[in-house]
Amino acid sequence: MTKPLLEIAGLTKDYGTGQRALDSVSFAIESPQLVGVIGSSGAGKSTLIRCINRLVEPTSGSVRLMGTDIPPLSRAGLRRMRRQIGMIFQEYNLVERLTVMQNVLTGRLGYVSFWTSLRYRYGEEEIRHAYALLDRVGLSGFENRRADALSGGQRQRVGIARALMQRPKLLLLDEPTASLDPNTSRQIMQLARGVITEEKMPALINIHDVALAQAFCDRIIGMRNGRLVFDGDPADLTRDKLADIYGGYDDNPAPIAQEEPA
Amino acid sequence: MSQRPATYPSRYRRYTAREKTVQWLWTVACALAVVWAMRAIDVEWAFLADAHLQALDMAERLWPPRWSYASQIWQPLVETIHIATLGTMAAVVLSIPVAFIAASNTAGYRVVWFIGRTILILSRSINTVIWGLLFVAIFGPGPIAGICAVTARSTGFIAKLVAEAIEEVDYGQIEAVESTGASKLQVLASAIWPQVQPVLIGTSIYRWDINVREASVLGFVGAGGIGLQLNASINEFAWNQVLLILCAILVLVIVSEFVSARVRAKVS
Amino acid sequence: MSELSPTTSPRWRPPTIFGSHQLRTIFLVAVALYLVWSLSTLQFDSQRVLRGFVRAGDIFARMFPPDFSRSKILINGMVESIQIAIVSTVLGIIIAVPIGICAARNLAPRPVYLAARGLIVLGRTFHELIIAIFFVKMFGFGPLAGVLTLSYGSFSFVAKMLAEDIENMKMGPVEALRATGAGFLQVVWFAVMPQVLVRQIGILIYRLDSNLRHSTIIGVVGAGGIGQTLSAAFSKYDYDFACAILICIAALVALGEFSSDHIRRRLR
């Protein structure tokens, strides 16, 4: 029996105000796949993603990546774990005054000491890898452009390259297309999808656009009020199921592709 | 990995060799300047070894403040406020004409503008305390010298900022007034002045706040205010008195900052 | 510039910045009363003032032509001032970086934050002359006291600015770098520093210029630099020498300010 790649059990986040941001969420990712998390705002999607690499500290529960439980780790252990988890943000979160290449290279920070990173001595292999990644995300030749000189879509590509630079075992994407126009959103999702399939890595994506989620994800998790209310195939997302997740028919954010029986 | 077995560069250079050289030159130049400065100062750095002990010793001597001395510092404190306030008021009055002749669009002749700029530089390059030295030589020790010193320094400060505001006025408004056939003076009064007035008021209050701090030390050169008492107490090693005066100055500064912030908020 | 229709009341007055005209009148009356009160409390002796004007004429006559013959002392004093300014700026910055990081609410734990902020406030409240006197009393006359004084002032200012910049910066990149497994120092260097560095260099230049100004006066209380020479010249009635010194100080400060403005504008 193979160990699940990512196993979440009883994950809870309580802010002490009575409302639980996450209420005993449990699921597992057994094989490399793109899992989309959907739900209305406040449902706990972002909290779920951030509790995995402890950008938000979970109150209780376990998060096992390749068998290692993350919440109880020490600072050094957490650092080692985080460098294996790549994260892509809604606001791209690049360091604006640095160049594209410098931003991509920050993906290796978790693997080197402070002094090594200061002098940018990452080794030839890593530098080659960085250039290859830039080529992969379609930004060849951009390495010396300052990050604040890029468009939103380009910045997100750099974000993807940075995450991949970590050679991660898991990819987390927190609303990566929310700040992009529909066209660019599709392109970024296609890029992410392609990368995940090639690298055969599990990925968890927090997404509010249901149509995009259905088009690109292998599996959908629906959240409502901190609870997991749906876990299955995108094709199984009927109108009723969506109403469950979003709490009402009026909240459906986008018309579903398969309303009529096939 | 990537489908294409392409060859990628194995080094990343953020800066070209030339840029790096320039950066190094600047760094070396600054480092040399610093080293020169430190060596030439000829200081006994060994003195600093027990600096923390000295500081503790000083702290012990300061405490507690000598409250009984309080009655003697009221009058100098009030005098300090007067020096700051009267000096700032005089500076406001003087700064208006200076600002107009120092602004390139209202100066008229180039010579006049040059004179205006020189007044600004003179006034602003010489510290209030140094003006104090000069005016004590002229008027003898006392608050008059202090007031003149504050005025001398503040005029340039206020006038410079007002001149900048004059140079940045919205020309649309000026043209509108000019097109009605108004004389130069009328244009000044009705188009330029209203735009400049808030800057003048804001700057004056800001300077008044700074002047309160300056006035508290003018006494060190004999130009009146609480500085005289402070200097005397320090020279007599009456440290408890010193602490009291420092507390008084602290309160004064806090109050003036508060007042200044409130009024400026209301004006803008 | 509002239009009046013939049916409105004939008396129209321009709006005033005071909100209402009554407030303005009250203000002007208050100012007048204040003038009367303060001038009487200060024991304004008009005789003395008049005599002062006469003496002023005499002094100005004796100031010109300025005496540059004692150039050696003059240059020594100026150079010492410049050196004090440079060393103080460097020392101040070195201390300011760690304390500034500690004083940022979004990076430091609360007790550390409060302690750092407290240290900063102390340095900004009191005029540098007061701090100078303390250091003179603790470490003796000479440039060491001057360096310590200006270092403390510089550190307070720079640390406060740095803390504010850090508090205002975007936390996004910090979060992203933490998520890659970077350590604290790496996060600071790669996410925080690039965001605050450019403004900090501008602040460094500004502070250097500021210290140049201040270094010219701390000598008045014996903390080294040209201030000491100037003070001595005034007390010996060497007005022509004093004038030479004043000119040099004004030139140095003006030059410093000009360069500082220039560099900071180019940095943008």
Side-chain angles (χ1 to χ4, degrees):
Chain A
M1 178 150 97
T2 48
K3 249 195 297 201
L5 298 171
L6 178 68
E7 186 178 8
I8 302 202
L11 193 58
T12 305
K13 176 65 187 173
D14 196 336
Y15 280 109
T17 56
Q19 259 283 39
R20 282 185 166 185
L22 284 182
D23 198 347
S24 209
V25 173
S26 304
F27 65 93
I29 303 183
E30 313 272 350
S31 57
Q33 59 181 187
L34 177 53
V35 180
V37 182
I38 62 172
S40 46
S41 37
K45 312 190 307 267
S46 196
T47 318
L48 172 64
I49 302 265
R50 285 186 146 77
C51 275
I52 294 180
N53 61 357
R54 280 171 67 185
L55 286 182
V56 170
E57 291 284 356
T59 316
S60 64
S62 75
V63 178
R64 286 180 195 279
L65 178 64
M66 311 292 208
T68 316
D69 196 12
I70 300 184
L73 286 176
S74 66
R75 283 216 0 210
L78 178 62
R79 215 189 138 199
R80 277 193 291 274
M81 219 54 219
R82 275 180 172 168
R83 68 190 186 197
Q84 300 187 55
I85 304 177
M87 187 153 179
I88 293 162
F89 298 84
Q90 174 182 349
E91 302 287 348
Y92 331 118
N93 287 352
L94 302 182
V95 184
E96 292 192 343
R97 296 196 85 101
L98 296 184
T99 61
V100 164
M101 179 55 85
Q102 285 174 316
N103 269 291
V104 171
L105 289 176
T106 58
R108 290 312 286 179
L109 285 181
Y111 289 92
V112 298
S113 74
F114 176 60
W115 300 109
T116 319
S117 57
L118 203 60
R119 285 142 67 218
Y120 283 95
R121 284 200 187 281
Y122 290 104
E124 293 187 1
E125 200 44 54
E126 297 300 337
I127 303 283
R128 265 195 269 267
H129 187 208
Y131 275 101
L133 283 177
L134 276 185
D135 195 11
R136 176 78 160 295
V137 300
L139 287 179
S140 249
F142 276 70
E143 55 268 7
N144 258 336
R145 291 248 195 124
R146 254 174 54 162
D148 54 8
L150 302 177
S151 70
Q154 289 168 333
R155 291 192 207 193
Q156 196 57 292
R157 290 168 194 269
V158 177
I160 294 178
R162 173 177 66 190
L164 290 179
M165 194 68 198
Q166 294 173 237
R167 299 183 207 261
K169 304 279 189 306
L170 168 70
L171 210 54
L172 297 176
L173 301 99
D174 189 7
E175 304 241 25
T177 57
S179 301
L180 301 171
D181 63 77
N183 238 359
T184 322
S185 295
R186 288 221 146 232
Q187 286 172 6
I188 294 295
M189 285 303 293
Q190 260 155 3
L191 177 60
R193 174 81 247 192
V195 156
I196 289 165
T197 312
E198 271 180 43
E199 305 294 333
K200 299 204 210 338
M201 69 173 79
L204 203 55
I205 177 167
N206 171 8
I207 193 163
H208 68 286
D209 186 339
V210 180
L212 272 185
Q214 284 182 301
F216 288 99
C217 297
D218 299 314
R219 172 176 163 195
I220 301 272
I221 285 181
M223 296 204 52
R224 185 174 168 188
N225 286 337
R227 287 215 184 83
L228 194 149
V229 297
F230 178 87
D231 185 354
D233 220 70
D236 295 337
L237 261 186
T238 62
R239 202 142 181 227
D240 291 325
K241 292 275 169 56
L242 270 179
D244 267 342
I245 299 173
Y246 283 93
Y249 288 91
D250 298 322
D251 284 335
N252 287 359
I256 318 141
Q258 58 268 36
E259 235 188 309
E260 283 72 46
Chain B
M1 281 282 175
S2 163
Q3 275 96 329
R4 299 180 293 273
T7 44
Y8 293 108
S10 57
R11 301 202 69 162
Y12 171 63
R13 294 220 125 84
R14 165 79 176 91
Y15 297 106
T16 64
R18 184 160 168 228
E19 285 172 330
K20 281 210 98 123
T21 321
V22 170
Q23 284 176 356
W24 260 111
L25 282 178
W26 273 111
T27 318
V28 167
C30 290
L32 281 179
V34 173
V35 167
W36 164 76
M38 292 194 71
R39 290 188 44 189
I41 277 213
D42 187 31
V43 139
E44 283 292 343
W45 295 105
F47 275 178
L48 288 180
D50 61 347
H52 51 292
L53 291 171
Q54 294 262 28
L56 267 151
D57 179 49
M58 175 64 73
E60 264 178 19
R61 297 196 212 182
L62 287 174
W63 191 265
R66 188 167 159 233
W67 299 109
S68 53
Y69 193 59
S71 54
Q72 297 195 39
I73 61 171
W74 274 118
Q75 201 265 337
L77 274 179
V78 171
E79 190 174 273
T80 310
I81 302 180
H82 286 328
I83 294 178
T85 315
L86 289 174
T88 315
M89 283 165 131
V92 169
V93 169
L94 284 178
S95 66
I96 298 176
V98 173
F100 276 105
I101 65 171
S104 47
N105 50 347
T106 51
Y109 298 102
R110 196 135 176 99
V111 175
V112 174
W113 178 77
F114 189 70
I115 294 180
R117 284 275 144 181
T118 313
I119 297 181
L120 283 190
I121 294 181
L122 256 181
S123 158
R124 296 177 59 243
S125 308
I126 299 181
N127 200 285
T128 317
V129 173
I130 300 190
W131 282 116
L133 273 176
L134 180 62
F135 284 110
V136 164
I138 295 180
F139 289 108
I144 301 171
I147 297 175
C148 291
V150 168
T151 309
R153 173 71 177 90
S154 309
T155 305
F157 182 87
I158 299 177
K160 176 170 191 251
L161 291 169
V162 173
E164 278 172 12
I166 295 177
E167 285 175 354
E168 285 170 10
V169 291
D170 176 10
Y171 267 95
Q173 297 186 26
I174 295 187
E175 280 177 345
V177 175
E178 275 180 344
S179 67
T180 70
S183 75
K184 269 210 128 122
L185 214 55
Q186 286 173 319
V187 170
L188 215 86
S190 45
I192 300 186
W193 179 244
Q195 295 187 52
V196 157
Q197 199 182 17
V199 174
L200 178 64
I201 298 183
T203 312
S204 311
I205 298 175
Y206 177 50
R207 187 69 212 179
W208 173 79
D209 180 25
I210 299 178
N211 284 339
V212 169
R213 274 180 89 230
E214 306 266 288
S216 64
V217 296
L218 277 174
F220 288 167
V221 296
I226 191 91
L228 207 60
Q229 260 75 4
L230 185 55
N231 202 18
S233 303
I234 292 182
N235 283 331
E236 294 163 14
F237 299 100
W239 296 111
N240 308 91
Q241 272 170 224
V242 170
L243 184 58
L244 178 69
I245 299 178
L246 287 182
C247 292
I249 296 182
L250 177 62
V251 170
L252 193 60
V253 167
I254 292 180
V255 168
S256 74
E257 263 191 37
F258 179 70
V259 168
S260 144
R262 283 290 295 277
V263 177
R264 276 163 71 203
K266 285 200 74 176
V267 164
S268 59
Chain C
M1 316 294 124
S2 55
E3 284 227 317
L4 288 181
S5 74
T7 53
T8 52
S9 83
R11 243 187 107 85
W12 174 87
R13 302 170 78 183
T16 168
I17 204 156
F18 290 97
S20 78
H21 276 277
Q22 284 145 331
L23 217 57
R24 183 172 166 201
T25 329
I26 295 178
F27 177 73
L28 289 174
V29 168
V31 166
L33 284 177
Y34 176 78
L35 278 172
V36 169
W37 170 54
S38 57
L39 290 175
S40 58
T41 349
L42 286 178
Q43 290 153 326
F44 216 52
D45 185 358
S46 40
Q47 280 277 19
R48 229 168 136 212
V49 177
L50 283 172
R51 254 182 288 145
F53 278 113
V54 171
R55 206 172 338 155
D58 173 44
I59 290 184
F60 279 119
R62 286 166 68 178
M63 279 179 122
F64 289 96
D67 172 22
F68 282 100
S69 62
R70 272 168 279 181
S71 51
K72 193 153 191 289
I73 313 179
L74 182 60
I75 294 184
N76 274 349
M78 297 291 285
V79 164
E80 192 173 78
S81 284
I82 297 177
Q83 290 166 341
I84 294 180
I86 295 180
V87 177
S88 314
T89 313
V90 169
L91 269 182
I93 302 244
I94 293 179
I95 309 182
V97 170
I99 308 264
I101 295 182
C102 289
R105 210 176 317 147
N106 51 350
L107 277 190
R110 192 147 178 92
V112 174
Y113 161 72
L114 287 173
R117 283 276 169 175
L119 210 57
I120 293 177
V121 162
L122 262 181
R124 296 196 63 241
T125 314
F126 294 110
H127 198 270
E128 61 267 6
L129 272 190
I130 300 182
I131 301 185
I133 292 197
F134 269 96
F135 279 122
V136 164
K137 284 298 171 207
M138 292 196 328
F139 296 101
F141 289 104
L144 175 59
V147 167
L148 288 174
T149 307
L150 294 187
S151 299
Y152 194 52
S154 304
F155 135 74
S156 296
F157 179 76
V158 175
K160 176 168 193 268
M161 292 281 125
L162 183 60
E164 271 175 21
D165 273 351
I166 294 180
E167 284 177 359
N168 287 334
M169 72 173 179
K170 295 194 185 154
M171 285 301 281
V174 173
E175 197 182 43
L177 257 54
R178 280 196 188 139
T180 66
F184 181 73
L185 275 180
Q186 285 170 327
V187 170
V188 167
W189 183 259
F190 287 100
V192 176
M193 281 299 148
Q195 291 190 66
V196 299
L197 200 58
V198 173
R199 179 141 177 251
Q200 288 307 308
I201 295 187
I203 288 177
L204 196 162
I205 308 268
Y206 171 77
R207 194 64 211 181
L208 184 58
D209 175 45
S210 231
N211 280 344
L212 206 57
R213 287 168 182 271
H214 296 160
S215 70
T216 57
I217 64 164
I218 51 176
V220 167
V221 294
I226 191 81
Q228 218 153 342
T229 328
L230 183 63
S231 180
F234 267 109
S235 53
K236 284 189 270 179
Y237 306 105
D238 278 339
Y239 294 120
D240 43 4
F241 187 36
C243 185
I245 301 178
L246 280 176
I247 294 180
C248 285
I249 294 181
L252 180 66
V253 171
L255 186 64
E257 181 181 332
F258 176 74
S259 329
S260 138
D261 270 348
H262 184 72
I263 298 181
R264 275 161 66 215
R265 210 166 305 146
R266 279 193 53 183
L267 271 180
R268 255 162 240 287

